[in-house]
Amino acid sequence: MAMMSKRQLLHLGLASAGLMTLGSRAGFGHDNPMPPELREAIERQAFAPVLGNAKGDITLTEFFDYNCPHCRTTMPVMKKLIAADRKLRVVFREWPIFGEGSAFASQASLAALNQGKYWPLHEALMKIKSKVGEAEVMAVVRRLDLDEARLKRDMESEAVLGHIDHSMQLGDHLGLAGTPTFIAGHEGLFGGQDLAALSSLVATAREDLL
């Protein structure tokens, strides 16, 4: 699954059949907002990596893949956004849609949560310019001095596999077009983003929800 456009604004609303729909912002209001149970599923899964302020007033969720070039270029932007907005809670949803290498990277990164090294591994993998697969992941794992045996056990854990499966289900349910997808409030952005675009998405969410 590949990115279809440089930037596309999405509106998240509840369809009459009870499923989420995506469309352009034009013509949509907030009379048909995201239901609370869906927001809970996107933002509050127990094993989802959380950055920024864990008790922040608004949540920005990113669906991403380590082999997505636009996810890589947006990673430094996310760092700036988190540093600039001390009230922002950020959730990373590992969504490996680019094949086996991406799946291995996602499992390893999530497993690194148990060793307190999710962010260093995430950041290092996002800086790789070539295709990310098992060899590239394990080279970073060794450089970061993670316990390899524990990591490989945790990669097959119910929590890790459950997070990925949950992301897959959410992606299908929401009809997401690809990575990266950013969701906050009732709206989202698809594709590589700059700081102004993500800041605007968060500001709109605050206006709508707070």
Side-chain angles (χ1 to χ4, degrees):
M1 189 179 297
M3 195 179 77
M4 297 171 62
S5 62
K6 178 66 177 177
R7 182 181 300 170
Q8 179 179 352
L9 187 62
L10 310 174
H11 177 82
L12 307 176
L14 183 65
S16 59
L19 299 178
M20 297 302 296
T21 60
L22 299 177
S24 66
R25 189 177 187 182
F28 286 93
H30 293 311
D31 55 327
N32 195 18
M34 180 186 291
E37 61 273 17
L38 183 56
R39 186 178 308 286
E40 181 82 8
I42 294 171
E43 298 179 354
R44 300 289 170 176
Q45 186 193 23
F47 201 67
V50 176
L51 284 83
N53 186 341
K55 297 182 179 180
D57 63 353
I58 208 74
T59 298
L60 172 68
T61 302
E62 179 184 3
F63 287 75
F64 70 92
D65 184 299
Y66 288 105
N67 280 305
C68 164
H70 296 286
C71 298
R72 293 171 179 173
T73 58
T74 306
M75 190 268 290
V77 179
M78 291 291 283
K79 288 182 67 176
K80 291 179 182 178
L81 181 67
I82 292 169
D85 190 338
R86 298 297 183 179
K87 293 184 178 181
L88 180 63
R89 178 177 181 268
V90 174
V91 170
F92 281 173
R93 292 227 59 101
E94 301 269 353
W95 192 33
I97 57 175
F98 284 90
E100 292 183 4
S102 296
F104 188 93
S106 288
Q107 286 178 247
S109 293
L110 290 167
L113 277 169
N114 292 334
Q115 298 186 47
K117 292 189 176 181
Y118 176 84
W119 177 252
L121 183 55
H122 172 90
E123 186 172 24
L125 294 179
M126 281 296 183
K127 290 180 178 179
I128 294 175
K129 303 300 183 183
S130 60
K131 185 175 181 180
V132 175
E134 181 174 353
E136 291 75 17
V137 172
M138 295 311 297
V140 176
V141 165
R142 295 180 187 111
R143 189 167 75 240
L144 295 175
D145 198 28
L146 277 85
D147 182 330
E148 290 185 46
R150 181 184 179 188
L151 185 84
K152 289 182 177 179
R153 287 196 303 271
D154 290 343
M155 285 173 66
E156 301 300 327
S157 69
E158 182 177 346
V160 166
L161 298 179
H163 171 97
I164 294 172
D165 182 63
H166 192 205
S167 294
M168 293 297 183
Q169 292 183 47
L170 285 170
D172 289 343
H173 188 62
L174 291 162
L176 301 186
T179 55
T181 293
F182 303 91
I183 298 173
H186 304 305
E187 295 181 339
L189 287 168
F190 168 55
Q193 306 298 325
D194 59 21
L195 184 59
L198 290 177
S199 297
S200 178
L201 177 66
V202 171
T204 299
R206 283 198 172 103
E207 291 175 4
D208 291 339
L209 299 181
L210 302 182

